[in-house]
Structures are given as structure tokens and as C-alpha cells.
Amino acid sequence: MQTASMILDRDYILARIDPRIYGSFIEHLGRAVYGGIYEPGHPLADEQGFRKDVLELVRKLGVPEVRYPGGNFVSGFNWEDSVGPKEKRPKRLDLAWMTTESNAVGLHEFYDWTQKAGSSVMYAINLGTRGPENARDVVEYANHASGSKFSDMRIANGRKDPFGIKLWCLGNEMDGPWQICHKTALEYGRTANEAAKLMKWVDPDIELVACGSSSSEMPTFGDWETTVLEECYDNIDYVSLHRYYGNPTGDTPTFLARSVDLDDFIRTVIALCDAVKGKKHAKKQMNLSFDEWNVWYHSNEQDKEIYKREKWGPALPLLEDVYNFEDALLVGSILITFLRNADRVKIACLAQLVNVIAPIMTRNGGGCWAQTIFYPFLHASQYGRGTALRALVKSPVYDCKAYEAVPTIDATATVDDDGTVTVFCVNRDLKEDCLLSLDLRSFGDLRLKEHILLHHDDVHAVNTEEHPDTVRPTAGPGGKIDGGKAEICLPALSWNVVRFERVK
Ligand code: AHR
């Protein structure tokens, strides 16, 4: 058995955790909306056509905000098409995903859905085919009380009170040549700045996220952030990061180490933000919105086949990754990485939420189930609240194809407001269990409340509609605690949540 150690101190605080790091994303793409959250005629659909079984799983995840309506989709989207009487809403070709958008679900319906889901809308505006004027109009429609063209249009469309949408994205992945009306950094930075000014003049209470790079692998990464931030630093609140990982070669040690790359990406963006802050002699600190992240690669070949067969069909089953056990481990490590950077990462959105690279899957007319990645997200969202601690971790390390000296134990800890200490760990070792010694000296009298474990002997194990519980959490082996010192056994290849509660 390997050994590792962790020292926690209640005064060694990193930051208050912004609950919005447990956000997610629903795009008008594939079966995320149509056949995912919305399926009128399904036996479990409510009066608005929303699936109640899906809502129940979403509510469980405790997602504070859902980014909407895209994604690449938003760069060709006209929000006006999606409001007003449904029978008058136009069908549109969506050039991002080569499908036909019916607009049966739009801003009003999605807002209602988030209310039912116990969440809120993070609304992305179109800075592809459209610009600042349109950005102004949609904020007026959504958030202005009454007495103007667009606020009165909202009222006429059946919604008297403003939606009060607080969080807005200034476009999506505008650095990507695949984007509808891709822009250079300077073009985007100037447009984002002007849009931001207009939007905040309409509603000064909103918060704005400007597009950073769509991946750290973009050739423009770094220059993009610097140029964009130089243009719009004063008028925005967050810069975005996006990152997806895959394991097409089946190299598990490298795949599980990808959070090392993620940490590096986050630290580099922080440095870029702070450099612009310095150059501008600004007081404001720019924080990060990691508003697209996940594993994404399983469905790539399947999607090529779908497009060979069909284009322009509505709700094509695109990006339907079936997640395996090792994906859940990386998702756990990604969440640990966000907690370790909770002083600057204030928003994060698991992309996406239902059917499209998602923790929740549905069958049209059929069931709804949780994929493997559902569980680490659920646990982090449930227990990773309150304060993020600066954990001092000593772990054995390993080398793999892409990285050297990767810690075998990836771990961090939080303390919630009732004093419960939660330790999150991934044991990346393929074969060996690890005994983790914890020094909890400053927390007073604690007892081990629970050890939640996610493990499967087969890294390729998946959950399906027929076998939804193949990979599911169980009680872990736990360990002992005595006078502020604890020892916990972390099985080989596992996600662990270890909770210590105060002895009253
Ligand atoms: O989440 C799927 C797609 O990935 C989004 O539409 C886009 O922003 C990103 O490239």
C-alpha cells in the first residue's frame, strides 16, 4: 500500500467558494433541449412539456446557474425568434450544428425551466452575426421593468415582471475559426467592450463574461486574452475559459493527469489577467468563468456518421458521449482543481447537462439515467460548499507520456459553515491502494461522518438505461480518527469524499 499525507488548518483558508462553480450548460444542440429537458407528450412531461424525471435529477445536482442558449449555436441566433406565440415562431437553420431549430423553447420557457430546476439563467448573447445594439435590446427585454419597446414586448408576451437575469456571456468562443462570424482578438475586444457598456447602461446590476480562449491549445491563446482584456477590462467582470479532454489512445495514466494541464491553464489565465491589470493600473481584480469543461471524445465518430446520413434534421442525437468510470475520475480531479483555485475561479459550467456530453441521459419516450460523471459532480456540489482550504498534500508521484511527477493522490478540502470538513481525493494509481494520513489538529473534536467511494474494477464500465447502477457510489473503507489525526484508505483508482463532523 502507498502512503500520502495531508495537513489541514482551519486558519489556512484559500477563499469562500462561489457556489456558481457548480453551474452547467444547456445549448440548443442535439437532444439537450428537444428530447432532453423538453418532450411534450412524454408520460412524465409537465404542463409546459418539461420532463419531470429530468428535472428531478437536475435538482439533485444543485446547479446554481445554467448557461444558455449556446455555445456555437448562439453566434447565429436571433433571440426575438424564440419569444412570443409559439405558432408564430420561425423555424431557422442552425449553421453551427447543421440542424433546424424550431424555437419551441425560448427565453420564457427556459427561464421557467430553471425556476423548476432550482437554478438560474446565465444568458449568452450573439456577438457573431449580431452586435452591441442587439445586446442592448435583449437586456432591455429581459431586465427592464416596463415603458420601453422591448420591456413592453416582454409584458405583451405574458411576462409582467422582469426576468432579472444577472449573469451574461458576451458571445461564445469568438477566437475559434469554426465560430459563426469568428473575430480577431481586436475586433472581438472592441465589440465586447461596446456591447458591455450598452448592456450595463440598461441594467447596471448585471455581470458580464468576456470570451477568453476556447482552449489552451489555440494558437492565439495568451495573445487573445491580453488583447481582449486591454479593450474591455473596465467593463467586464470575468474572462471565460473552455477545455475538454479525451482519451482516444486509451492511456489512462496520462488521461487522469490532465488536471495538471487544467491547473496550468487556470494559472496562466490568472497571470494574463493580472498583467493587464498591472498595465492598466487598475484596482479591479479579473476573475475567471470556466464556463465549458468536461470530457468529450466518445461520440466523435458517431457524429460523423450522423452527419453523413442526415443534415438539418431537428434534434439529431449529437455529442452523446457515453461516459465510463475513468471519465468520472477525471471529472473528480477537475472539480478538485476548481476548488484549489477557488480564489479566482468564481463560475464554472459543466458542459453540458442533458444528453449532449452530459451527466444525465434520456431516451425519447423512455427513461432517464445518471452517467458515471454525475456522481463526482453531485458530491462536489453537495459537499464542496463554504470555504476552500489550502491543503498541504504530500503524495507519491508517477511519470506518464505527457507529464512528469504527477501526484498519485489528487486532493483538496473544504469546510462548510457548520464546521464539517470534507476531503475530496482521487487515487490515480491503477493498482495500489493508498493510506492517507490527515492532520486535522485545529478543528477540535471531529468524528468520521462518512466515506463515499466511487470505484469500479473496469475503467471502461458505463451506466445505461438497462443498467443504470453499474458505476455508482458506495460506502468506502473509511479509517480511524484519534485526537485530530486520521487515517483513511483510498482504494486504487477511486474517487473519495471523506467527511468529518464536529463532535457536539
Ligand atoms: O459544448 C459543445 C460546444 O463546444 C459548444 O457549442 C462550443 O462552445 C464548444 O466548442
Side-chain angles (χ1 to χ4, degrees), residues 233 236-237 273-274 277 282-287 343-344 346:
Y233 197 93
I236 64 154
D237 304 283
C273 290
D274 291 350
K277 178 185 177 208
K283 293 263 176 297
K284 179 168 88 179
Q285 172 176 286
M286 189 60 59
N287 286 324
D343 53 334
R344 298 299 288 268
K346 299 294 172 186

Side-chain angles (χ1 to χ4, degrees), residues 14 24 56 65 76-77 108 161 181 183 199-200 248 291 298 300 323 366 381 384 398 417 490 496:
L14 173 66
S24 190
E56 199 182 314
E65 80 283 356
F77 174 59
H108 290 247
D161 294 332
C181 298
K183 290 183 168 42
M199 292 164 82
K200 285 194 170 172
D291 46 42
H298 297 285
N300 292 351
Y323 289 114
S381 172
Y398 69 93
D417 295 340
L490 308 172
N496 302 267

